[in-house]
Amino acid sequence: MNIERVKTGIKGLDEMLGGGFLRDTANLIEGAPGTGKTTLGMQFIYNGIVQADEPGLMITFEEFPQQYYRDAAAFGWEFKEFEKKGLLKIIMTSPEVSRMDIESVGGMIETYIAQMGARRVVVDSMTHFTRLTQDPIDLRGIEFNFINALKREGLTSILTRESPVLLGESPQDDNLGFVVDSYLMLRYVEIESAIRKALLVLKMRGSDHAKDIRQFDVTERGIEVQSKFEGQEGILSGSPRRMADSFVEAFIKN
Amino acid sequence: MNIERVKTGIKGLDEMLGGGFLRDTANLIEGAPGTGKTTLGMQFIYNGIVQADEPGLMITFEEFPQQYYRDAAAFGWEFKEFEKKGLLKIIMTSPEVSRMDIESVGGMIETYIAQMGARRVVVDSMTHFTRLTQDPIDLRGIEFNFINALKREGLTSILTRESPVLLGESPQDDNLGFVVDSYLMLRYVEIESAIRKALLVLKMRGSDHAKDIRQFDVTERGIEVQSKFEGQEGILSGSPRRMADSFVEAFIKN
Amino acid sequence: MNIERVKTGIKGLDEMLGGGFLRDTANLIEGAPGTGKTTLGMQFIYNGIVQADEPGLMITFEEFPQQYYRDAAAFGWEFKEFEKKGLLKIIMTSPEVSRMDIESVGGMIETYIAQMGARRVVVDSMTHFTRLTQDPIDLRGIEFNFINALKREGLTSILTRESPVLLGESPQDDNLGFVVDSYLMLRYVEIESAIRKALLVLKMRGSDHAKDIRQFDVTERGIEVQSKFEGQEGILSGSPRRMADSFVEAFIKN
Amino acid sequence: MNIERVKTGIKGLDEMLGGGFLRDTANLIEGAPGTGKTTLGMQFIYNGIVQADEPGLMITFEEFPQQYYRDAAAFGWEFKEFEKKGLLKIIMTSPEVSRMDIESVGGMIETYIAQMGARRVVVDSMTHFTRLTQDPIDLRGIEFNFINALKREGLTSILTRESPVLLGESPQDDNLGFVVDSYLMLRYVEIESAIRKALLVLKMRGSDHAKDIRQFDVTERGIEVQSKFEGQEGILSGSPRRMADSFVEAFIKN
Amino acid sequence: MNIERVKTGIKGLDEMLGGGFLRDTANLIEGAPGTGKTTLGMQFIYNGIVQADEPGLMITFEEFPQQYYRDAAAFGWEFKEFEKKGLLKIIMTSPEVSRMDIESVGGMIETYIAQMGARRVVVDSMTHFTRLTQDPIDLRGIEFNFINALKREGLTSILTRESPVLLGESPQDDNLGFVVDSYLMLRYVEIESAIRKALLVLKMRGSDHAKDIRQFDVTERGIEVQSKFEGQEGILSGSPRRMADSFVEAFIKN
Amino acid sequence: MNIERVKTGIKGLDEMLGGGFLRDTANLIEGAPGTGKTTLGMQFIYNGIVQADEPGLMITFEEFPQQYYRDAAAFGWEFKEFEKKGLLKIIMTSPEVSRMDIESVGGMIETYIAQMGARRVVVDSMTHFTRLTQDPIDLRGIEFNFINALKREGLTSILTRESPVLLGESPQDDNLGFVVDSYLMLRYVEIESAIRKALLVLKMRGSDHAKDIRQFDVTERGIEVQSKFEGQEGILSGSPRRMADSFVEAFIKN
């Protein structure tokens, strides 16, 4: 069994993941708009190239490559240069095309992988697959096959998914969480009249992982994971309460 | 990369935005009726004209230009005069017409932009785009293309969106939040038996921004941003609780 | 710009409105059954006639004129007499008929206005417009046009709307709140094992207004607005909590 | 104007109603199964006969007359005897038939009224009218006409309605609450690990009324209204909280 | 009027019911999976046979008689023996067949009743009737007729119903609660990090009954009703809070 | 009656189950993604083989056998070896095929059972049965028959079911909980800013069982059940509160 780790290069996150993702796994990153899903994905690709010598692909179903160049450049990651050097390929496509391509022999994606020696991929975002069918069971089959095709190509993937709810949980999870190997959640949390960001590794197949809900920031160097939240109940609701202990502590100090 | 700032001219807000919006970006302002979305948009246009020498457009899908003249005049902003001088153009149109116009070469909007040298636009409101299709995926594509057309024209835009829920979050966000570059929320908050207004920059692509939830008022000079809320939990629910610390403080003082 | 005030003649309310409604505006009064929407509307008409010398119309889509005579008489307002003197006209009609009538030249409503010199109108209730179409976007267009027709006729209007939820907020507001000039909410609130009534001016276009949530009663003289609520959190939920400060105060006193 | 009172003969209730229902009005009693709606209706009929010399009708859409005989007899009310003496008539019918009958001249119900001199009626329950149409607007029209027909016949009516939710509010009220003259709610409330019953007069057109939420019991003599609840917040939710004052009081006493 | 009591033979329950069910009534037992509905029903039948000399029927729409033999035997109730002696009959049928059979003269069920002298019946479960029609009004009519047919046959019945929600209330009650003579609820309650069971008599037509929410266990002797819950608020939500008094008590003791 | 126990070999769990599952029963394990449903199932099979000399089957509707080999190997369970020795068979099939196969005489599953002497089966997951029909009543019938077929083959089964909600209860349980013999829930619980896992035996037909909500971990040796939670209210909501007693205790200690 292969327990080789694929480091994200994000310090606190690799630690939470017990060293990184497992090789050839599909890893879901879910969050509301602005939580940093795409940034996390780009950082995974960037660190793969500069730290692990692993070329990467970005498959996008909406944004233009220019947008990724700009967004990455804001963190000092020169995606355009990487692409020229054959270390990165941003593929703008559709769910329809990409799933047929990846599942066929000698398709475009497979060709890029062979040419580049790509080992990592970000799919931004899986939410666009919902346009393929109204039937949740069909959708699950499509997603399952797509994910397995990525694995067969020897890729470790980050799959982003958009959460339609700004604070707290979506009323109902679709099936993707059951199909992936790991499941990371990015969440907004309102604490002391400000919005902070929280990161949680909910699930990780075949590996131990941190159970803490950690704070993180998107800084000029990308995602930076910080310590866990303290003294709060109900963080995942997005609107936590200060705990009784904190109350008592405050009471005593006064 | 272009990190030129487009100032709103609203003091506290520019500070929250790290100096203003980024040039050529689309910026969503969401709020319930009466929270001040349109006022914020008009103020952005007004300050663009008088402070930054940037002519502006207002694209409206419902209200008549006369209503904007009146509403602006209540703040001392003479939109009618600006229009005569070619610094402002209020275009009353429909989503159907405007999206075709903006995406075609030499359309009416493009012609106005060329004539006026317009750099700013307010679209009031994006909610009217929902009439174009029942399919949320189609709608996302339409909105994405419309927003990109505005950017291609060299416009920095404010897009208003109506929140159907008076207090707290809408049960489900549509896709627009994922497509825009920044996302501002205006909210009603009930505190001490009165209704106050809150402003939050939830997301801002390519820039740091304030994470605080700030109070604001609509005064006779337009929107005025104030300090953050203090001692409250759950502000974004619209119905916050006083925090334990405040309780303790009150307890001790008594 | 016209900032002439149209007084409701309800003391606390005119104060909350900064002097009264603005001339030629549409003003929404929303509430659950029994909160006093129609009473507020009748009082607006009554005070218009006796205090401001402004004749008024009541457009009703369900109740018979006799019901209004009876209900008004209970407050000592002799609507039947007013109607004989040409100071009041109660028009029982349907949304279908009234919208065509008001939008056509020389229609029945326009004729009454001309004959009577009417300046005020109550439409009781806008909820009946929902029967005209299933499509919320069509409905918004219809309501928008109807409201504008009332304004063109030189009428300052109160539009009642029925809230289907007894306590707390409706799950989703329809579009009417965005279209009107001001938006008043009447609410039931459970405090100390009794039901009280609350009044709030949520929105008022072109004017400052009170932000307090005030208590009110329907007495034998009509609506009487009282002081704001004190020491309660979550009033608009209909089921408020006593605040920590009140708790502490009670604690200390004991 | 007629402000004659129609006493229910239920002591605390008549007091809450300012002396009783108004003559020729329609009065809605809403509650979950077992709260006592039908008992209240039967008691209204019984007291009408023995205390006010007013014969009464019961219109039922489901239960057999025998069930009412039995249920009434459990309280010592001899409905079978009353029926023999022409003081009471239990009419088992359908919403379809009854609405056509009551709205036609010389129908069965009208004939009974004329023969008996009936002044009171209980309709048990209005919920069965929902079978007449799927369209809430049509339903409102049907109910409005039915209620007005009862009034035209000189009847003061109690209309029962079934609440589908056991504790707390129905998610959405239908339109009936807007159409009736008064609106009484019967509710289950969980207090100190037991279920109590609560009574509230939410609305009463043309009369002042108690705003308290009162406890009541169904005893062997029928409904007995007791004092209001004390020291509880959120009674109408069905699951109230003890108030801070009660907490403090308990704290001090200990 | 018949106020003869039909004892369940479950000690605490008969006490809660004021001595037992009323003769010839339909009694609803509702609960989530595993709460003990069927056990209660079997115990009612068992005690009828051994304590009251009343043979009984079990009508089942899903489980095989063998399952009941096994389940009953686990409590030491030898249903197979009873069936041989003609004291019990387990009828496995469908809602379609059973409703036609019971409503026809000389049907199978009637024949069994005549042969055995059956006085009690358990219908397990009424939930299967929902397969007969999509229309809730039709369903109510069908259930009403079925229940009345059981009464006409001189049977006192327990009707089980499955609650689809594990903790707390179903979002909406169907109509069956209005049609039956008594309504018992079995509920899961989470207290001190364990799941307990609660029993409540919500409604009982024609009789007084306990209003307490009582704990119960399913032991090797069947259902055993215990004392009421103490010091908890919101038991029926399934997730109660400790009450302030308990808090204070704990505070003082420490 | 057979009260032979089928041990899961998971120490704390067998204790909670009063010694293990009952022979020839169907046992539901429900949980969100990553809670450990499949791990529990594999451990049941593994311990059956090495501790109880009972060969086992795994019926899978989505994952490939290779995935189970890998996942099991991570715990040191050599499923591939077992399969070679005829102690285990992983059958990848569809709900359609498997239900027809298991219900027919001499089908594939029956043949495997006969050849291997299999006594245990894991069906992973029952959620895939929902693709067979839209009608919940049909689905219940299909599941009921499938479960009974497993029992007839002399198999003790674990049936996994996916919960679509990450924290707290699904809005509505389907019917499977009523059909199975025991019902275990795996839940995420947020405590002190971290996510823990909880295990509960909600229902167990024909046996006493622990009512506690216990913590558990998925370690490198599989599922390990720990002590119950302490000092928390509302664990099953996923977002518990510290209890008043814990508050007081903390208060006193400080």
Side-chain angles (χ1 to χ4, degrees), chain B residues 13-57:
Chain B
L13 180 55
D14 283 331
E15 183 194 313
M16 289 176 78
L17 294 168
F21 294 125
L22 299 190
R23 176 69 69 197
D24 298 353
T25 54
N27 305 286
L28 180 63
I29 314 286
E30 190 202 73
T35 46
K37 296 175 301 295
T38 302
T39 301
L40 198 155
M42 294 192 304
Q43 202 164 352
F44 173 70
I45 293 296
Y46 174 78
N47 287 334
I49 294 169
V50 302
Q51 294 178 7
D53 212 16
E54 297 187 350
L57 297 178

Side-chain angles (χ1 to χ4, degrees), chain E residues 113-178:
Chain E
I113 294 167
Q115 289 173 350
M116 296 169 60
R119 305 300 306 273
R120 299 180 176 207
V121 66
V122 170
V123 181
D124 192 31
S125 70
M126 288 304 287
T127 305
H128 290 271
F129 272 74
T130 57
R131 87 165 72 139
L132 295 178
T133 171
Q134 300 281 354
D135 180 342
I137 293 159
D138 283 356
L139 179 59
R140 179 171 179 154
I142 290 169
E143 292 174 332
F144 183 76
N145 289 336
F146 179 78
I147 286 169
N148 276 306
L150 295 176
K151 293 182 183 182
R152 273 197 310 273
E153 299 290 350
L155 296 171
T156 304
S157 60
I158 278 185
L159 314 171
T160 65
R161 184 169 62 172
E162 302 171 351
S163 168
V165 171
L166 292 180
L167 279 96
E169 287 309 302
S170 298
Q172 195 139 331
D173 184 60
D174 75 8
N175 291 309
L176 194 51
F178 292 103

Side-chain angles (χ1 to χ4, degrees), chain B:
Chain B
M1 191 190 59
N2 188 358
I3 54 159
E4 187 192 343
R5 296 283 171 170
V6 180
K7 282 185 192 304
T8 65
I10 300 168
K11 195 159 159 282
L13 180 55
D14 283 331
E15 183 194 313
M16 289 176 78
L17 294 168
F21 294 125
L22 299 190
R23 176 69 69 197
D24 298 353
T25 54
N27 305 286
L28 180 63
I29 314 286
E30 190 202 73
T35 46
K37 296 175 301 295
T38 302
T39 301
L40 198 155
M42 294 192 304
Q43 202 164 352
F44 173 70
I45 293 296
Y46 174 78
N47 287 334
I49 294 169
V50 302
Q51 294 178 7
D53 212 16
E54 297 187 350
L57 297 178
M58 294 202 70
I59 298 176
T60 158
F61 301 130
E62 187 175 73
E63 290 291 353
F64 297 100
Q66 288 74 4
Q67 184 70 45
Y68 291 97
Y69 299 151
R70 267 199 304 269
D71 289 350
F75 298 106
W77 308 332
E78 293 304 331
F79 273 24
K80 218 165 182 171
E81 293 305 308
F82 289 154
E83 207 158 24
K84 284 184 193 152
K85 295 179 186 160
L87 298 169
L88 167 68
K89 180 68 196 171
I90 301 178
I91 302 167
M92 193 180 177
T93 179
S94 70
E96 293 85 344
V97 168
S98 68
R99 70 177 272 237
M100 284 187 297
D101 183 274
I102 193 81
E103 292 173 30
S104 62
V105 177
M108 180 188 64
I109 294 173
E110 197 174 284
T111 305
Y112 279 124
I113 293 167
Q115 289 173 351
M116 297 169 60
R119 306 299 307 273
R120 299 180 178 207
V121 66
V122 170
V123 181
D124 192 30
S125 71
M126 288 303 287
T127 305
H128 289 271
F129 272 74
T130 57
R131 85 165 74 140
L132 295 178
T133 170
Q134 300 281 353
D135 180 342
I137 292 160
D138 283 355
L139 179 59
R140 180 171 178 153
I142 290 169
E143 292 174 332
F144 183 76
N145 290 335
F146 180 78
I147 286 170
N148 276 306
L150 295 176
K151 293 182 182 182
R152 273 196 311 272
E153 300 289 351
L155 296 171
T156 304
S157 60
I158 279 185
L159 314 171
T160 64
R161 184 169 60 172
E162 301 170 353
S163 168
V165 170
L166 293 180
L167 280 96
E169 288 308 303
S170 298
Q172 194 138 331
D173 183 60
D174 75 8
N175 291 310
L176 195 51
F178 292 102
V179 170
V180 292
D181 296 286
S182 78
Y183 187 166
L184 280 70
M185 303 194 322
L186 311 185
R187 288 285 180 271
Y188 287 118
V189 185
E190 180 191 331
I191 294 179
E192 288 175 12
S193 309
I195 293 296
R196 306 190 195 176
K197 286 174 183 160
L199 168 63
L200 171 68
V201 181
L202 189 71
K203 159 182 172 177
M204 192 173 180
R205 204 184 257 166
S207 167
D208 199 16
H209 60 93
K211 311 298 185 300
D212 299 345
I213 307 172
R214 302 248 178 112
Q215 296 190 60
F216 75 95
D217 269 333
V218 183
T219 73
E220 51 184 22
R221 291 176 305 280
I223 299 228
E224 301 201 341
V225 176
Q226 294 152 1
S227 61
K228 70 183 274 201
F229 289 84
E230 294 289 350
Q232 298 285 344
E233 284 182 332
I235 292 166
L236 294 182
S237 73
S239 182
R241 305 172 293 278
R242 284 283 290 270
M243 286 174 66
D245 295 354
S246 310
F247 170 93
V248 167
E249 204 177 327
F251 189 96
I252 297 301
K253 277 198 291 213
N254 271 278

